């Protein structure tokens, strides 16, 4: 049986492909990813699941969540924390610590697995759509390909560089956050903005490390799934691709972020502003019809933001899937 045009088998020498010029241009990968995303609306729902599991849930719930004030935190935690200071931890504090840690671990593992499932499904949808549109891909099918557990392990492995940088930066971050909580100089500016303004280099190092590590992991996941590589080998190959082709890999990562900000960013900001107006109406307006109309409009904007976030996430998934070496189809 002959391989389908554009298929890359495990062990194939990609540097030889690059030297022959068989690798499709980067712009072709981005263009094909856009086509694949638009012709498969089902990928939007899968992309939204991955977006929410990867931390997007914080962004989409941000407009409707009221963060506790320092005074509120002090009133809620003052008693349990004081018992720890005086050497006799209360049952409430122990339960709070154990419950918080257990809940955090469960949410982290659940998010990791849901994100891995969404990424695996997104790869399959992108390959199917590309085949229907006559777009060459790095693989023809996903029969016996690794599943979500190994993808989750690779994604967990990719967090190691971020964890190292976070450990190196935690002390100044803690000091600045504690100072801004206890003795703030500015109560108008949100706390995250004040911390970022005080430690731009530390926050910047975290962001850059996350961007680079996520890009290498995205390529590594495709190596894992499309080429059936072992988890550790696929992760290392992702870093190898980043070193050999930094402009292509980082370009794909930056385009994905840019599309997300361009497509979903304004809608999320509009939802945040709209929720503020809705809360003002709920407190002051006497006209129930006006309140219902405002709530309906806000819900429509918020749901629209979710759809747009799913589209952007599906595009990012497709762009990474089509980034692996894809030979041009043979000329007739």
């Amino acid at each position: 049986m002959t391989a389908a045009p554009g298929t890359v088998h495990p062990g194939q020498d990609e540097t030889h492909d690059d030297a022959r010029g068989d690798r499709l241009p980067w712009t072709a990968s981005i263009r094909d990813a856009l086509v694949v995303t638009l012709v498969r609306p089902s990928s939007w729902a899968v992309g939204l699941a991955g977006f929410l599991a990867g931390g997007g849930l914080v962004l989409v719930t941000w407009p409707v969540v009221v963060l506790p004030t320092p005074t509120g935190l002090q009133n809620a935690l003052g008693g349990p924390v004081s018992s720890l200071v005086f050497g006799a931890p209360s049952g409430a504090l122990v339960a709070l610590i154990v419950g918080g840690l257990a809940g955090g671990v469960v949410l982290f593992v659940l998010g990791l697995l849901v994100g891995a499932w969404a990424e695996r499904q997104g790869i399959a949808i992108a390959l199917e759509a590309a085949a229907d549109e006559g777009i060459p891909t790095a693989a023809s099918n996903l029969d016996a390909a690794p599943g979500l557990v190994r993808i989750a392990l690779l994604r967990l492995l990719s967090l190691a560089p971020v964890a190292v940088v976070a450990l190196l930066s935690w002390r100044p971050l803690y000091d600045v956050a504690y100072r801004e909580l206890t003795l703030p100089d500015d109560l108008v500016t949100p706390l995250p903005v004040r911390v970022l303004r005080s430690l731009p280099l530390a926050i910047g190092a975290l962001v850059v490390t996350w961007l680079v590590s996520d890009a290498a992991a995205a390529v590594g996941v495709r190596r894992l799934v499309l080429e059936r590589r072992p988890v550790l080998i696929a992760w290392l190959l992702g870093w190898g691709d980043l070193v050999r082709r930094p402009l292509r890999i980082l370009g794909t990562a930056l385009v994905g972020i840019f599309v997300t900000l361009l497509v979903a960013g304004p809608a999320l900001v509009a939802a945040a502003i709209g929720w503020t107006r809705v809360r003002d109406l709920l407190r002051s307006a006497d006209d129930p019809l006006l309140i219902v109309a405002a709530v309906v409009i806000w819900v429509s904007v918020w749901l629209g933001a979710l759809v747009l976030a799913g589209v952007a996430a599906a595009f990012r998934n497709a762009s990474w899937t089509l980034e692996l070496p894809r030979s041009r189809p043979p000329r007739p």
Side-chain angles (χ1 to χ4, degrees):
M1 177 181 294
T2 59
T7 301
V8 175
H9 296 286
Q12 182 175 333
D13 188 351
E14 294 176 21
T15 57
H16 181 59
D17 285 343
D18 292 343
R20 292 185 305 165
D22 285 344
R23 179 184 288 270
L24 290 176
W26 177 78
T27 52
S29 296
I30 300 301
R31 179 200 63 213
D32 293 343
L34 179 61
V35 172
V36 165
T37 302
L38 295 179
V39 300
R40 279 295 187 279
S42 59
S43 66
W44 306 352
V46 175
L48 178 60
F51 173 78
L52 296 177
L57 184 62
V58 176
L59 294 178
V60 300
T61 57
W62 163 57
V64 298
V65 173
V66 179
L67 297 178
T69 63
T71 303
L73 289 174
Q74 183 178 3
N75 292 336
L77 302 178
V81 172
S82 62
S83 67
L84 178 64
V85 173
F86 291 106
S90 65
L93 179 61
V94 173
L96 180 65
I97 294 175
V98 173
L101 289 176
V105 170
V106 170
L107 288 177
F108 176 76
V109 173
L110 183 61
L112 203 62
L113 292 175
V114 172
W117 172 85
E119 194 164 17
R120 176 68 161 70
Q121 293 298 114
I123 294 172
I125 293 174
L127 291 178
E128 179 185 355
D132 292 344
E133 297 298 318
I135 298 173
T137 60
S140 57
N141 60 70
L142 297 184
D143 293 342
L148 65 90
V149 173
R150 278 184 276 182
I151 294 176
L153 288 176
L154 192 149
R155 282 294 181 178
L156 180 63
L157 189 62
S158 72
L159 294 177
V162 181
V164 171
V165 175
L167 287 175
L168 295 176
S169 306
W170 81 270
R171 186 64 193 186
L173 287 172
Y174 171 81
D175 291 340
V176 170
Y178 180 79
R179 184 181 72 246
E180 292 295 339
L181 281 171
T182 56
L183 298 171
D185 297 328
D186 179 10
L187 295 177
V188 177
T189 306
L191 176 63
V193 176
R194 282 181 276 151
V195 173
L196 176 60
R197 187 173 57 194
S198 301
L199 293 171
L201 293 180
I203 302 296
L206 274 172
V207 172
V208 170
T209 303
W210 169 81
L211 173 66
V212 173
S213 184
D214 181 75
V219 178
V221 167
R222 274 72 189 172
R223 296 283 195 181
L224 174 74
V225 175
L226 302 182
E227 299 179 1
R228 281 63 163 175
R229 306 276 190 173
V231 172
L232 182 59
I233 298 300
W235 180 64
L236 293 175
L237 285 173
W239 282 102
D241 284 345
L242 178 61
V243 171
R244 286 190 298 157
R245 289 181 288 274
L247 295 180
R248 285 188 68 117
I249 302 301
L250 293 179
T252 302
L254 292 175
V255 166
I257 294 174
F258 173 76
V259 169
T260 302
L261 294 176
L262 179 66
V263 173
L268 290 174
V269 172
I273 297 174
W275 180 247
T276 302
R277 301 293 184 268
V278 169
R279 284 192 299 173
D280 292 340
L281 284 174
L282 290 174
R283 283 194 291 259
S284 60
D286 296 327
D287 187 354
L289 292 179
L290 180 61
I291 294 176
V292 170
V295 171
V296 169
I297 293 174
W298 179 82
V299 170
S300 301
V301 172
W302 187 69
L303 291 178
L306 292 182
V307 173
L308 293 174
V311 173
F315 169 79
R316 290 186 63 195
N317 197 318
S319 63
W320 285 121
T321 302
L322 300 179
E323 172 54 30
L324 287 191
R326 301 181 294 140
S327 300
R328 293 179 175 85
R331 296 180 180 178

